[in-house]
Amino acid sequence: MPARVEQEAPLVVVANRPPATYRRGPDGRPSPVRGGGGLVSSLAPLLDGTGATWIGAAMTEVDRELAALGPRSYRGMQLELLAIDPEVYELAYDTISNATLWFALHGLFDRTREPTFNRSWRRAWDAYRALNARFAEAAVQAAEATPGSTVLVQDYHLFLTGTELRRRAPRLPAVHFTHTPFPTPEELAVLPDDVAVEILRSLGAFSSCGFHTERWRSNFAACCDTYDVSPPETFVAPLAPDAEELEHVLASERCQHHRAVLAERTGGRRTVLRVDRIEPSKNILRGFLAFEELLRSRPDLSGEVVFLAMTYPSRQSLPGYRAYRAEVERCVERVNASLGHDGWQPIQLEVADDFPRSLAALSLYDVLVVNPIRDGLNLVAKEGPLVNARNGTLVLSREAGVSAELGSDAFLVNPFDVSETAAAIGSALDLDAVERARRAKALAAVSRRRTPRDWLDDQRRSGQPGVP
Ligand code: G6P
């Protein structure tokens, strides 16, 4: 466990997504809605009431109007919304952050066609630079307004803030945390050389850079070495769910209602579950293909088991994401049409963001499938064991960052190997009660080992001068 920082420095958190976005209520006044996603749900509660500043992009029209009025108070923190020019934002978020960096960091490109770096891509790269410069400028202003501040920059949307922060404030403690995987030098080489160097130099300008696992940290170090960039201090700090908060939500009426509905829907059958954004990196298609293969090879399971898929749409402005979602829906229809019978639907796909319902499902699974092609961490794999009430087992991709922590008590799979995944789901369903209980206990213990507070403290500490 890291030692707590005695004197807590004021924090300036810089992330693409703000902790809340604003909509107009029935009375016409702007009212905040807490943002979704792992980062906001883990970090925002720790900052409530602390006076910390959170700088994020204005997401709604109302956000943009409020941004013009300057920082505002939100749950005891200072919220600074940046109204980025919509065209710049779209190029930076869609073309660079999600269609280029996300794909490069997760190894998702179908290299026969993508990526292609041309003049219009370079225009988008300029937009990404401009957006990063804007965030860095706001961070320096906020830090200067509160002397002694530490700046914590989150994720790949803001890789280029480091250079700009250093230029403007050479001595400001500034930490970058990458929530995604970091690629090997060979994988990073898919980017134009000057772009790879620009990213690494900017990360090298931070006081330190953090990652969820040693694998991503050492890939980053190897990239710095290969591209001859001087590396910053680095650290490994896996995020973990807030177990108490999960229990609190689970006990809520809404969650209990969903539990009852889901139990009725599965009709007492054994339940395989996944909970994901609809996202190519999550490998949802191969998960369903594996389930199909299992059902075809094991007639005894026909009618006896359901695959509940709690998914929710993501980044629908990108054609690749829309196409992936359509393919997922077609795959479910095909499997259900060819294998379902007598009212039994082998796969039940839900497409809506509903955290209490997902949590209810996590309390009910017999097997949780987390099979990403690659993932920085994967919080669902830790949330499941914390709330599951059935000694559920875990089928886990060896490419998920969390496999470093949970791997020894899960069924580890190569995410591309559909047959191996099918066999793992089968073995997980067949496991005897004693071994199930042993594994479930071990998975829960590891998932409980750290808290979001530990993760935040690790970042805070690593920003202090002289703390490696
Ligand atoms: C990943 C990224 C986060 C991002 C989240 C949701 O977890 O690491 O930075 O916020 O996905 O994606 P979105 O594009 O909706 O913010």
Side-chain angles (χ1 to χ4, degrees), residues 16-17 36-39 59 93 98 102 106 154-157 178-180 277 279 282 313-315 375:
N16 173 54
R17 283 203 177 263
L39 178 68
M59 297 278 163
Y93 178 73
N98 291 332
W102 181 269
H106 291 81
Q154 307 296 311
D155 236 347
Y156 60 98
H157 314 89
T178 301
H179 290 263
T180 62
R277 284 187 301 119
E279 150 77 61
K282 302 295 182 187
S314 176
R315 303 177 190 164
D375 212 334

Side-chain angles (χ1 to χ4, degrees), residues 33-60:
V33 181
R34 190 76 144 197
L39 178 68
V40 168
S41 55
S42 310
L43 188 52
L46 298 175
L47 300 180
D48 285 347
T50 64
T53 297
W54 187 314
I55 300 171
M59 297 278 163
T60 64

Side-chain angles (χ1 to χ4, degrees), residues 126-440:
D126 286 343
Y128 179 81
R129 276 192 187 126
L131 175 138
N132 274 253
R134 180 76 195 286
F135 271 84
E137 183 190 354
V140 170
Q141 275 170 8
E144 281 172 354
T146 316
S149 289
T150 298
V151 174
L152 305 183
V153 179
Q154 307 296 311
D155 236 347
Y156 60 98
H157 314 89
L158 299 172
F159 273 160
L160 296 187
T161 49
T163 308
E164 197 58 23
L165 283 169
R166 270 304 146 256
R167 192 177 70 73
R168 289 170 179 270
R171 301 171 66 81
L172 177 64
V175 179
H176 186 278
F177 196 92
T178 301
H179 290 263
T180 62
F182 206 89
T184 62
E186 295 72 28
E187 290 163 342
L188 189 69
V190 74
L191 296 178
D193 291 354
D194 62 307
V195 167
V197 168
E198 194 174 342
I199 290 172
L200 293 172
R201 283 206 182 125
S202 179
L203 289 173
F206 280 93
S207 318
S208 67
C209 286
F211 301 87
H212 283 305
T213 74
E214 172 55 26
R215 182 175 168 196
W216 315 140
R217 192 207 65 77
S218 63
N219 282 354
F220 170 67
C223 286
C224 289
D225 194 36
T226 304
Y227 283 86
D228 203 17
V229 167
S230 37
E233 299 288 351
T234 54
F235 64 99
V236 172
L239 184 55
D242 182 338
E244 277 174 33
E245 175 60 18
L246 292 182
E247 276 152 27
H248 178 71
V249 179
L250 192 63
S252 70
E253 220 172 284
R254 186 135 172 248
C255 215
Q256 292 305 317
H257 162 76
H258 283 304
R259 270 192 84 164
V261 172
L262 288 171
E264 170 129 7
R265 257 176 64 177
T266 53
R269 295 180 176 93
R270 283 183 294 163
T271 303
V272 178
L273 174 72
R274 71 176 311 131
V275 177
D276 287 301
R277 284 187 301 119
I278 304 189
E279 150 77 61
S281 70
K282 302 295 182 187
N283 208 20
I284 299 172
L285 285 171
R286 287 195 190 84
F288 291 155
L289 295 179
F291 189 58
E292 178 184 17
E293 186 162 314
L294 175 69
L295 292 177
R296 289 194 191 281
S297 63
R298 292 271 307 266
D300 60 304
L301 293 176
S302 179
E304 297 296 318
V305 52
V306 288
F307 195 148
L308 264 187
M310 296 293 172
T311 62
Y312 48 102
S314 176
R315 303 177 190 164
Q316 291 294 290
S317 53
L318 294 180
Y321 277 64
R322 291 200 298 274
Y324 189 74
R325 174 181 173 172
E327 218 178 322
V328 164
E329 288 171 341
R330 277 199 305 276
C331 177
V332 171
E333 276 166 29
R334 184 186 58 71
V335 172
N336 284 344
S338 67
L339 294 175
H341 58 79
D342 304 319
W344 169 63
Q345 281 205 331
I347 305 177
Q348 300 189 10
L349 177 70
E350 289 290 346
V351 184
D353 193 358
D354 186 335
F355 184 65
R357 189 178 60 179
S358 297
L359 208 59
L362 285 170
S363 75
L364 293 173
Y365 67 79
D366 295 291
V367 179
L368 179 63
V369 175
V370 178
N371 67 326
I373 287 173
R374 200 170 283 181
D375 212 334
L377 182 77
N378 198 293
L379 219 45
V380 172
K382 288 184 178 179
E383 287 168 346
L386 286 176
V387 300
N388 185 263
R390 289 210 209 166
N391 286 338
T393 45
L394 176 64
V395 171
L396 180 61
S397 165
R398 66 186 188 200
E399 297 298 316
V402 76
S403 67
E405 295 169 89
L406 298 179
S408 50
D409 295 296
F411 290 84
L412 274 188
V413 294
N414 169 349
F416 303 102
D417 192 338
V418 166
S419 298
E420 185 190 37
T421 307
I425 298 173
S427 306
L429 283 167
D430 290 344
L431 205 62
D432 68 79
V434 174
E435 180 59 7
R436 281 174 72 87
R438 188 200 67 73
R439 286 185 185 228

